[in-house]
Amino acid sequence: MPNSAPHPDTPGGGTEGAAAAADRTAPQATDLRPFMAAFPSGVTIVTALDAEGLPRGMTCSSMTSVALDPPTLVVCVRTASPTLRALLDQGQFAVNLLHEQARATSDLFASGAPDRFDRVGWRLPLGAGGPHLTSSAHAIADCTVVETAVFGDHTAVFAQARRVSVRPTIRPLLYGLRRYAGWSAAASGPPPAALPLPPRPVPDEGAAHVRS
């Protein structure tokens, strides 16, 4: 009598076939990095003081506004980061937007070098949420933490901006496609030509509109 069991080498046969079928039906993890690399943005460094009063900070690529009233930002920080622990312990932090000459500062704070605050200019004004990177930032917001949400390996920190300062004559640093660019270079090209308006339909002379 012939064996009615499927052969292990045939599709769907044996344990290997079952594993292959499971692989086909299991959801595949999507690598979001190429998508986000195609979305250029400014460069942000989040800073705070830890429980011992030592400065903490990291380059943060995920920052955006949430609301204008109340003025609220969200930053997404790696959950294991000491900077996150510091800003949560203190309940406040500073967001430093880097100017176009501060690429080295961005790389320094992304590297996790323990002496990074010894290698940049910074100060702590009265009422600051965290260190102000005065030599590298063109805009700074001092923020108070209002809510957090953990997702995956990052924590989203929602914070209300209580004070902002902007140096309008200094241009921002940009990052996208895994490369830096200065605003001055990105904006130096000619403005795009205005697109022609689509023609408007002209009704026939004497045309009547009749309601049914």
Side-chain angles (χ1 to χ4, degrees), residues 54 66 68 120 141 144 146 189 208:
L54 299 176
V66 175
L68 297 179
V120 296
T144 300
V146 294

Side-chain angles (χ1 to χ4, degrees), residues 78-165:
R78 186 171 53 87
T79 301
S81 168
T83 300
L84 176 65
R85 175 49 49 200
L87 68 87
L88 293 182
D89 286 346
Q90 299 299 317
Q92 61 180 358
F93 60 97
V95 176
N96 297 265
L97 304 185
L98 300 192
H99 61 63
E100 59 186 356
Q101 302 302 320
R103 172 179 175 174
T105 304
S106 174
D107 289 339
L108 174 64
F109 276 75
S111 72
D115 63 341
R116 51 193 178 272
F117 279 96
D118 296 331
R119 296 160 60 181
V120 296
W122 64 277
R123 64 189 184 93
L124 192 68
L126 183 65
H132 287 193
L133 304 182
T134 51
S135 63
S136 304
H138 71 96
I140 301 172
D142 292 301
C143 304
T144 300
V145 176
V146 294
E147 190 173 340
T148 62
V150 179
F151 194 90
D153 58 358
H154 277 63
T155 297
V157 181
F158 296 85
Q160 185 168 334
R162 61 176 187 264
R163 181 176 66 184
V164 298
S165 58

Side-chain angles (χ1 to χ4, degrees), residues 7-97:
H7 192 278
D9 293 336
T10 61
T15 56
E16 292 183 3
D23 289 342
R24 288 194 297 270
T25 58
Q28 299 297 312
T30 299
D31 185 357
L32 198 59
R33 289 171 296 182
F35 178 81
M36 294 309 300
F39 183 63
S41 66
V43 182
T44 302
I45 292 180
V46 174
T47 58
L49 296 180
D50 66 15
E52 298 178 353
L54 299 176
R56 300 285 186 177
M58 60 172 289
T59 303
C60 175
S61 59
S62 299
M63 189 281 296
T64 190
S65 62
V66 175
L68 297 179
D69 186 16
T72 306
L73 303 174
V74 61
V75 296
C76 295
V77 183
R78 186 171 53 87
T79 301
S81 168
T83 300
L84 176 65
R85 175 49 49 200
L87 68 87
L88 293 182
D89 286 346
Q90 299 299 317
Q92 61 180 358
F93 60 97
V95 176
N96 297 265
L97 304 185

